[in-house]
Amino acid sequence: MKLNCILFLTAIVASQACPYLGYSVGGDNPHGVDNEGGDAAAPCDDEETATSPGRSLRGHAEEGNRELQRGRGRGGRGRGGRGRGGRRSRSDSSSSGGSSENEDPVVVEAFDTAGLAIPAAQAEFSALVDDRDRLGPQLVRLGFHDCVVQCDGCIDMENVDNRGLDDIIDFLEPFVTKYSQHLTRPDVWALASMVAAETMQPSSDDGPIEFVFEYIGREECDGDVKLGPSRELPSVHETTPTLLDYFDRNFNFTAQAATAIMGAHTLGRLRERNSGLVDGRWVPNETRLDNQFLQRVENGNFDKHQTDSGQYVWRFDGNNNNNNRNLQRRRRGRRGRGGFGNRGGRTFFLNADLALAYDFTGAIDELGEVTCSFDGTDDNDGAAACAIAETAGDLERYADDNRAWLIDFRDAYEKMVTNGYGSGDLQLVTG
């Protein structure tokens, strides 16, 4: 699905927001949600391209991209370029998701089959992402929030944990209309989020891990798209058992799948104005889908940090000097590795993040202050050692092997975008 555009990429929500995990503290989402500008390329009048069932997103996208290039009278696809449809770039529009009153109306595009419509949509999304460097994480975040319990193309914007998603919903609505002959709103949202996830991978000599968009026919909820059913999102202070219980109940994920999907926190930032926590990020490169977040959880040094609101988070303080190195030492009797991150700065982690390494059950209060010790030398001098999380083995494996993590993340993501549907509920994509 790498398509044309190197990625609909992202620092998450158009400006810098969060990936799809919508943690909540007292109802607030800690992830950033502000949307800066950025050029938005216009949808192209794509010609139809045959494809086969089960084709990877990359294969669909490459075909659709060739059709874009062969199309009649199409404009350039560079930054700020315009397709034949004449839709203005985002720089000419007043908002990130809305359409300008000077734009041409969006019409339903005619394709004989969904198998022809999908590669065109993939190529279009990919080109848009190539033109704006903060779109991908926003799409990944929407994909997660929409698929809690069931993917249905509706978000409860009265829930503050969904703050900031209204712009990306508005942004996608013209594409929902354009491809409505064969794709429902949740189909379009799922497809766009999968394109984003695949294209944000770092380059690899072994090639990218391909995401397969196999099924369509997800049902749209009744009523206003922004007044969807109220759904639970995880807390920033989850312990290992409560975090795994959340993913089991809402996605039917195993502990391994939950660990893999949590790796998406390599994208995006924390925003104090949304959560009352802190401004910060998890990793330096917040627009690349790789295992650095998991590496830091497994092997980082962390200092307890109390925010202005009284809640507790963890400040990242480099790798392999003191405390968290002991996760590996305690599990396997060896030192951790170093050299994959920088120290200090505005880099923070949440209790729910570190729950992949340590189980804080019985050692965390309502403000998120942890009272057990990673290794006996951290802020809680003399405290009993924190229990090792049941997910620590998968965490270590993923931290050691980016490709292994990407494969399992892909598998969990493909399952996520069909959440809420049983056998026979969805239609297999055919040519």
Side-chain angles (χ1 to χ4, degrees):
M1 126 185 185
K2 184 148 184 188
L3 258 93
N4 208 355
C5 84
I6 172 166
L7 99 147
F8 343 12
L9 182 93
T10 96
I12 205 158
V13 33
S15 164
Q16 288 137 301
C18 85
Y20 52 84
L21 290 184
Y23 288 129
S24 60
V25 164
D28 282 338
N29 185 341
H31 306 295
V33 294
D34 46 320
N35 289 294
E36 294 176 357
D39 295 335
C44 286
D45 191 13
D46 309 320
E47 293 180 2
E48 301 174 1
T49 307
T51 187
S52 59
R55 288 287 305 279
S56 74
L57 299 189
R58 185 178 306 276
H60 285 317
E62 288 171 350
E63 291 191 12
N65 219 34
R66 288 193 291 271
E67 291 304 312
L68 289 176
Q69 296 169 1
R70 287 200 294 263
R72 303 183 301 275
R74 292 174 177 76
R77 297 298 296 180
R79 291 187 178 275
R82 297 170 65 179
R84 191 185 75 164
R87 282 168 50 86
R88 295 181 181 273
S89 70
R90 178 96 67 98
S91 59
D92 296 326
S93 181
S94 59
S95 68
S96 61
S99 58
S100 166
E101 63 182 9
N102 295 321
E103 293 178 5
D104 294 342
V106 178
V107 297
V108 176
E109 193 80 8
F111 294 93
D112 289 342
T113 67
L116 299 175
I118 288 170
Q122 289 166 346
E124 191 161 25
F125 287 138
S126 184
L128 283 168
V129 172
D130 195 27
D131 279 349
R132 52 177 78 200
D133 61 355
R134 291 176 175 142
L135 180 59
Q138 192 179 10
L139 290 165
V140 171
R141 181 185 179 217
L142 178 65
F144 176 83
H145 282 239
D146 182 46
C147 289
V148 176
V149 180
Q150 180 173 333
C151 310
D152 62 3
C154 285
I155 298 291
D156 177 16
M157 291 308 304
E158 294 183 350
N159 182 341
V160 295
D161 294 335
N162 292 319
R163 189 178 297 166
L165 289 174
D166 45 358
D167 282 340
I168 191 63
I169 291 171
D170 291 342
F171 173 78
L172 287 175
E173 197 60 20
F175 303 100
V176 172
T177 300
K178 181 172 183 178
Y179 295 102
S180 60
Q181 182 180 4
H182 298 289
L183 305 179
T184 65
R185 177 179 289 105
D187 288 340
V188 171
W189 288 8
L191 176 60
S193 72
M194 291 184 74
V195 172
E198 184 175 304
T199 57
M200 283 188 287
Q201 297 176 57
S203 60
S204 168
D205 291 340
D206 296 323
I209 301 302
E210 296 183 337
F211 288 56
V212 178
F213 186 77
E214 289 187 291
Y215 297 102
I216 60 173
R218 297 164 182 83
E219 295 181 358
E220 299 179 9
C221 73
D222 296 329
D224 191 327
V225 63
K226 297 181 182 180
L227 294 176
S230 177
R231 286 169 179 167
E232 173 191 9
L233 290 165
S235 164
V236 298
H237 300 319
E238 301 283 6
T239 62
T240 309
T242 62
L243 184 68
L244 297 182
D245 177 67
Y246 173 84
F247 281 109
D248 179 37
R249 287 184 293 104
N250 290 283
F251 292 95
N252 197 28
F253 277 173
T254 63
Q256 176 180 309
T259 305
I261 213 74
M262 283 285 290
H265 264 176
T266 200
L267 306 173
R269 291 189 178 188
L270 294 159
R271 290 294 189 182
E272 181 177 4
R273 64 177 170 270
N274 299 324
S275 67
L277 292 175
V278 289
D279 286 325
R281 66 184 73 190
W282 287 273
V283 299
N285 189 339
E286 60 201 66
T287 66
R288 183 175 62 205
L289 187 66
D290 64 12
N291 65 343
Q292 189 173 36
F293 164 83
L294 297 166
Q295 289 179 332
R296 288 186 162 196
V297 170
E298 187 239 3
N299 202 43
N301 298 314
F302 298 96
D303 297 320
K304 191 187 304 182
H305 176 78
Q306 188 172 23
T307 67
D308 291 342
S309 68
Q311 303 282 333
Y312 282 86
V313 295
W314 297 95
R315 184 192 294 273
F316 176 77
D317 190 29
N319 297 296
N320 282 340
N321 294 324
N322 295 305
N323 45 13
N324 215 36
R325 174 179 63 189
N326 284 267
L327 176 62
Q328 288 190 352
R329 293 174 63 185
R330 289 170 57 190
R331 291 191 68 254
R332 299 177 58 191
R334 66 176 176 87
R335 291 175 63 89
R337 69 197 164 277
F340 53 76
N342 49 11
R343 292 175 57 84
R346 303 293 296 176
T347 306
F348 295 94
F349 284 70
L350 308 172
N351 285 318
D353 297 327
L354 297 193
L356 296 177
Y358 295 102
D359 185 359
F360 302 137
T361 300
I364 185 172
D365 66 18
E366 65 277 2
L367 294 177
E369 183 176 15
V370 172
T371 57
C372 60
S373 170
F374 290 164
D375 65 356
T377 63
D378 65 356
D379 288 346
N380 301 314
D381 291 344
C386 300
I388 299 298
E390 66 174 278
T391 51
D394 288 322
L395 170 66
E396 184 177 337
R397 181 167 62 89
Y398 293 151
D400 284 335
D401 189 338
N402 184 61
R403 193 166 185 86
W405 171 66
L406 282 170
I407 290 171
D408 285 357
F409 176 82
R410 182 270 317 275
D411 292 346
Y413 207 90
E414 290 179 353
K415 179 176 180 178
M416 182 191 81
V417 296
T418 60
N419 194 34
Y421 298 93
S423 177
D425 291 341
L426 300 176
Q427 306 163 35
L428 184 68
V429 176
T430 64

